[in-house]
Amino acid sequence: MSPRILLLGGTTEALRLARRLSPEAIYSLAGLGRVPDDLPCQVRVGGFGGAEGLAAFIREQGIELLLDMTHPYAAQISANAARAAELSGVACWALRRPGWQPGTGDDWREVDDWSGLVAELRDFRRPLFTLGREPLEHLHEIPPHQYWAVRCLTAQEAVPRAKIIGARGPFDLHGERALFALLGIDVLVSKNSGSQSTEPKLQVARELNVPVLLLRRPELPSVEREFVSLEALAEALQL
Ligand code: NAP
């Protein structure tokens, strides 16, 4: 018999795995995005209240295997998952998607945080931000020589020197080329998520010789088993 699974989601791969789970399994979402209503397993939404809260949930629900399939930049929940597994004595397996790697001729620069990013952006005029909502908190700080394009999950009205685009991946090459051309993008800003569904923007940057600023990946905890792909994880689960 398969173990009772708690799947921590937030990625495309997690949703794809959730579609293969049995009715006893629980799929958990933070609640920032869309909540699917057509899954074969149970779905719960919202935080647990830290590692202790997650450990209590694991015990209450008789969970036997915790799967961390959250985003590579969601460092808090991954740390909580590793700690909660220790506290409750269950195994934790994780999908640890490898980051993107630059190819020949790519101008990729890694930055540690927002202030490092702002410093590196100084010589550019038309950045495209694709790292979530953080730039929206800094719209009042746009330097006079810059016009920002910010792509995130929810749209918002344009401000004088920024366009905010609400869009959800996957993004294809054709659409990304059109976006770069329309907005005259001269630098791309991104997390290094390693996701195939958002990779085409990197190819467009390569084609146009546009530099890419990447926010450095956070450290994630080591857990009992780590997988680099959904397929490898699903195979280990015999799903
Ligand atoms: P985070 O900073 O690591 O987590 C913040 C808090 O959100 C956690 O401490 C936890 O609350 C709750 N949480 C996160 N994932 C959860 C889940 N699957 N089920 C229940 N509670 C969850 O993460 P974040 O960066 O805010 O991201 C939130 C979610 O969006 C994650 O599931 C992540 O996979 C997804 N996401 C994140 C990014 C990104 O760039 N950060 C991109 C795409 C998707 P409690 O401590 O109260 O349990």
Side-chain angles (χ1 to χ4, degrees):
M1 230 179 70
S2 55
R4 183 151 203 235
I5 289 173
L6 172 59
L7 167 57
L8 302 175
T11 55
T12 313
E13 291 94 330
L15 178 58
R16 283 170 56 201
L17 189 75
R19 296 199 182 285
R20 304 188 209 168
L21 293 178
S22 60
E24 311 80 59
I26 304 176
Y27 176 54
S28 173
L29 290 168
L32 306 180
R34 207 181 287 145
V35 179
D37 58 5
D38 59 349
L39 297 181
C41 60
Q42 299 165 45
V43 180
R44 67 163 299 287
V45 179
F48 296 95
E52 285 73 17
L54 178 53
F57 183 88
I58 288 170
R59 283 191 292 263
E60 279 158 24
Q61 298 289 328
I63 299 299
E64 295 162 303
L65 177 61
L66 181 60
L67 297 181
D68 174 12
M69 297 186 75
T70 59
H71 192 271
Y73 284 72
Q76 186 60 57
I77 187 69
S78 290
N80 291 355
R83 179 77 188 121
E86 272 173 24
L87 290 172
S88 55
V90 303
C92 180
W93 295 3
L95 178 68
R96 297 282 190 247
R97 205 199 266 158
W100 295 309
Q101 297 297 326
T104 315
D106 278 341
D107 178 359
W108 289 14
R109 309 171 196 180
E110 217 167 36
V111 294
D112 285 324
D113 51 22
W114 183 261
S115 62
L117 183 57
V118 169
E120 197 67 44
L121 270 179
R122 222 170 354 228
D123 295 336
F124 297 96
R125 302 169 65 86
R126 309 276 302 192
L128 170 61
F129 292 88
T130 59
L131 39 62
R133 300 184 58 81
E134 191 169 6
L136 303 182
E137 293 160 26
H138 300 276
L139 294 177
H140 56 286
E141 298 162 17
I142 302 177
H145 67 287
Q146 288 182 355
Y147 181 91
W148 290 7
V150 179
R151 182 166 70 190
C152 54
L153 286 182
T154 44
Q156 188 172 305
E157 263 181 46
V159 296
R161 271 177 298 109
K163 181 177 176 62
I164 295 125
I165 306 158
R168 187 183 294 270
F171 300 105
D172 66 19
L173 203 49
H174 181 72
E176 297 295 60
R177 282 192 186 118
L179 183 69
F180 274 63
L182 180 72
L183 297 170
I185 298 305
D186 63 0
V187 62
L188 171 66
V189 183
S190 180
K191 289 176 177 167
N192 189 348
S193 81
S195 166
Q196 282 178 0
S197 66
T198 53
E199 205 171 355
K201 63 189 173 187
L202 296 169
Q203 182 172 333
V204 178
R206 189 169 298 138
E207 290 169 3
L208 299 174
N209 287 319
V210 162
V212 180
L213 307 188
L214 289 166
L215 204 58
R216 197 180 301 282
R217 281 187 162 211
E219 289 284 333
L220 298 178
S222 294
V223 294
E224 200 162 323
R225 290 188 70 178
E226 299 184 0
F227 300 86
V228 295
S229 68
L230 168 63
E231 293 68 30
L233 177 48
E235 194 182 317
L237 290 167
Q238 298 180 324
L239 287 174

